[in-house]
Amino acid sequence: MPTHATIEVPSFGEVKVPTGLFINNEWVESQSGETFSTVNPATGKPFLDFAHASKEDVDAAVKSSRKAFKTTWGDNVTAVERGALLDKLADLLERDAAKIGALESLNSGKGVRIAREFDVGDSIATLRYYAGLADKLHGQTLNHYAKEKFVYTIHQPIGVCGQIIPWNYPLQMWAWKVGPALAAGCTVVMKPSELTPLTALVMCDLAKEAGIPAGVINTLPGLGATTGDAISRHPDIDKIAFTGSVATGRRISVAAAESNLKKVTLELGGKSPSLVFDSADVEEAASWIAMGIWFNSGQDCCASSRVYVQEGIYDKFIAALKSRAEACKIGQPSDEATSFGPLISETQRDKVLNYIESGKQEGASIITGGRKWPESNGGYWVEPTILADTHIGMKCVQEEIFGPVIVTSKFKTEEEAVELANNTIYGLAASIFSNDARQQTRLAASIDAGTIWLNQYGILHPGVPFGGFKHSGIGRELGTYGMEAYQQVKAVHQNL
Ligand code: NAD
């Protein structure tokens, strides 16, 4: 199978894109000759075929990454040089933002403006943040002994890192992984999702153009159970950084432990609650929560998928949320005005519809939505949906739907609200809407989540740590914590 294909991209005409494996700065075919197919989520029609990386390809990529780590990267280049290369990569992404945004939109179904402004924009910001941070994390000097004896610590890159990412924010997840790993001095073997491999591959050409040495970023499109598993089990990979579902995170942890006890960081699912108190500004809360659940059509690990509303404002809040659901700009991904595109796949669409159906069976009522978008044609849209009269025993309240469905119910007291919020295996994010600062502070401390938003939702910044409590993950991405996750600390005891 050729390593490139030509596709028609709205506003850009014919564009030649990579579809092969990127190993040692070269485009190659899979050694097995196998391929896999992707589908355009807006039409349900075939999109592109990609090379499927085999176990032998994983070996070749790991060898190349190990060699780069020992010779041209890691401690062989200064942190300033690594930062400069990341900065150059950010420049190139900025240069190609419109085209890469259009490719992301085509592969993932998200609106083209959102892909360009949010997905590409945040990816540039993340690369720039880590370009700047590369030379700013230091060790310590400790003086616990006599004066001629002291200890210093050095931060060293962990080594070769396997990185496995999902389909909901393909480019952004790529930047969240590659930025801190390269800044820290690690080399990477990246596996994008089999549903959305395109932009991770396009970034390989930019990395080469930026001057990042061969082997620093190897990229292997492929399926989870084969390519992903081979990466997780590889004896010469030192760490796995994974974003995706809890079930896969668990499998990867086992594979990593059984092979060579590689280090693992996991960013997993969520079922994030919003608590809206009587004192809140109802219209403002409804706007933030609507954005929290319907951004990216609900395919968001920190989606505001549960809302608990104090009884005094419940009816008013539900009416305000309903009006925002009905105002979502549902449309074709290529339309600049679209903010609500199709779900990624037929499987995902059916899974979401099944959750809505199970909610109805268990007694929930539908305030709005609940169906396929009538203009879907072959695409995978599900309408923005509000389920009311839900309770904690329901499947749609406990499990991550990963679609545009928010479940709602009422509470009376703050204690009850905290109990409802924490009644889940997840702990990724939560929001509190209240104009009582003491209440906000109490709740921020007592809710089990890695991120708490007060009177807002969904705000992220490359400098702010992100990650989960409970089953939502292990470790943190972004900020200094995100880069430290790619380093190990060595204590050196001096005796002068
Ligand atoms: P997924 O777990 O099915 O797949 C994620 C990645 O893992 C893909 O690249 C897939 O090919 C790979 N994979 C699958 N099986 C594997 C295996 N046995 N070994 C190694 N790799 C394997 O998840 P998804 O459906 O792509 O993404 C949706 C999930 O990701 C949701 O649960 C969502 O909450 C979560 N997510 C979390 C965050 C976060 O930062 N916490 C961000 C985005 C998505």
Side-chain angles (χ1 to χ4, degrees):
M1 186 197 116
T3 56
H4 288 77
T6 300
I7 51 171
E8 191 65 28
V9 182
S11 311
F12 288 86
E14 286 198 339
V15 176
K16 188 177 170 201
V17 293
T19 54
L21 317 178
F22 191 74
I23 301 178
N24 216 29
N25 269 7
E26 301 294 338
W27 290 108
V28 296
E29 296 175 28
S30 166
Q31 292 182 46
S32 68
E34 284 180 15
T35 61
F36 66 92
S37 304
T38 56
V39 168
N40 180 336
T43 61
K45 298 205 168 107
F47 176 50
L48 273 171
D49 286 353
F50 291 88
H52 182 185
S54 63
K55 198 166 171 293
E56 291 69 33
D57 297 316
V58 173
D59 280 339
V62 173
K63 273 200 186 85
S64 151
S65 279
R66 179 61 64 195
K67 187 168 169 222
F69 183 68
K70 285 187 174 160
T71 55
T72 55
W73 204 249
D75 286 336
N76 304 292
V77 276
T78 66
V80 172
E81 287 168 305
R82 295 197 300 267
L85 288 169
L86 276 175
D87 218 21
K88 176 76 180 151
L89 181 57
D91 288 344
L92 297 177
L93 180 53
E94 203 157 30
R95 179 195 71 190
D96 292 354
K99 190 161 81 184
I100 293 180
L103 293 173
E104 187 79 325
S105 161
L106 203 55
N107 195 177
S108 68
K110 53 185 89 199
V112 66
R113 183 184 56 79
I114 307 268
R116 189 178 62 240
E117 292 178 3
F118 173 78
D119 296 79
V120 178
D122 184 81
S123 302
I124 294 167
T126 302
L127 294 176
R128 290 221 191 282
Y129 174 81
Y130 283 109
L133 192 65
D135 63 346
K136 294 180 186 60
L137 294 188
H138 321 253
Q140 301 170 334
T141 308
L142 308 159
N143 193 5
H144 294 320
Y145 308 118
K147 71 177 170 212
E148 66 282 3
K149 290 183 181 174
F150 68 97
V151 178
Y152 62 88
T153 65
I154 44 182
H155 290 195
Q156 292 188 315
I158 287 181
V160 176
C161 296
Q163 302 189 319
I164 300 179
I165 57 174
W167 44 261
N168 57 340
Y169 296 105
L171 181 65
Q172 191 196 24
M173 291 299 107
W174 183 93
W176 284 25
K177 295 273 180 288
V178 170
L182 266 59
C186 292
T187 55
V188 306
V189 176
M190 158 68 66
K191 193 197 86 63
S193 165
E194 59 271 40
L195 302 178
T196 54
L198 187 54
T199 46
L201 294 174
V202 171
M203 289 306 292
C204 295
D205 278 331
L206 295 195
K208 186 171 176 178
E209 188 182 343
I212 293 174
V216 174
I217 304 175
N218 287 307
T219 302
L220 303 177
L223 306 187
T226 48
T227 316
D229 189 62
I231 292 173
S232 310
R233 290 184 188 282
H234 201 287
D236 199 31
I237 289 184
D238 303 300
K239 172 193 164 121
I240 293 279
F242 170 72
T243 297
S245 62
V246 172
T248 306
R250 192 172 273 134
R251 270 186 216 113
I252 287 176
S253 297
V254 170
E258 284 175 351
S259 51
N260 58 338
L261 261 186
K262 50 179 76 66
K263 295 168 186 10
V264 177
T265 46
L266 304 173
E267 294 288 351
L268 307 175
K271 190 74 179 176
S272 301
S274 291
L275 304 180
V276 188
F277 286 85
D278 283 345
S279 65
D281 180 322
V282 169
E283 295 297 326
E284 226 180 76
S287 292
W288 281 110
I289 291 169
M291 192 269 283
I293 180 63
W294 293 310
F295 189 75
N296 213 35
S297 305
Q299 303 168 115
D300 190 317
C301 51
C302 50
S304 170
S305 49
R306 296 182 290 147
V307 59
Y308 299 111
V309 189
Q310 205 159 17
E311 54 189 4
I313 53 161
Y314 182 81
D315 291 341
K316 199 171 158 204
F317 175 84
I318 295 296
L321 192 63
K322 178 170 186 266
S323 75
R324 282 153 181 86
E326 289 165 359
C328 280
K329 296 262 183 255
I330 309 182
Q332 293 301 321
S334 58
D335 185 341
E336 286 277 322
T338 295
S339 63
F340 189 100
L343 302 184
I344 191 68
S345 65
E346 190 175 5
T347 310
Q348 192 65 18
R349 194 258 329 262
D350 293 347
K351 182 180 146 198
V352 172
L353 291 172
N354 283 338
Y355 273 112
I356 295 171
E357 197 44 47
S358 91
K360 281 184 348 200
Q361 303 280 328
E362 290 182 293
S365 52
I366 294 187
I367 301 291
T368 187
R371 305 169 306 166
K372 293 179 193 169
W373 182 43
E375 293 167 51
S376 291
N377 295 317
Y380 305 130
W381 282 264
V382 173
E383 294 173 331
T385 300
I386 304 175
L387 294 182
D389 305 315
T390 64
H391 59 77
I392 51 169
M394 290 178 175
K395 208 161 108 86
C396 62
V397 175
Q398 288 298 330
E399 296 181 15
E400 183 182 43
I401 299 177
F402 221 59
V405 182
I406 185 166
V407 300
T408 75
S409 62
K410 292 180 201 174
F411 67 86
K412 282 196 175 68
T413 64
E414 185 180 307
E415 293 68 34
E416 194 190 341
V418 172
E419 209 174 303
L420 287 166
N422 287 339
N423 193 316
T424 159
I425 59 165
Y426 295 108
L428 194 57
S431 73
I432 295 149
F433 292 84
S434 155
N435 77 355
D436 175 346
R438 286 201 175 120
Q439 181 174 54
Q440 290 175 7
T441 313
R442 271 195 310 274
L443 289 167
S446 50
I447 290 178
D448 301 332
T451 295
I452 305 277
W453 288 295
L454 301 176
N455 290 332
Q456 56 185 339
Y457 206 96
I459 304 297
L460 296 171
H461 184 281
V464 178
F466 180 81
F469 281 29
K470 303 198 278 191
H471 289 204
S472 289
I474 297 176
R476 291 291 175 272
E477 293 198 285
L478 302 182
T480 53
Y481 299 91
M483 186 166 141
E484 283 166 358
Y486 288 96
Q487 296 177 319
Q488 44 201 349
V489 177
K490 183 179 280 176
V492 183
H493 296 247
Q494 278 273 22
N495 186 9
L496 294 174

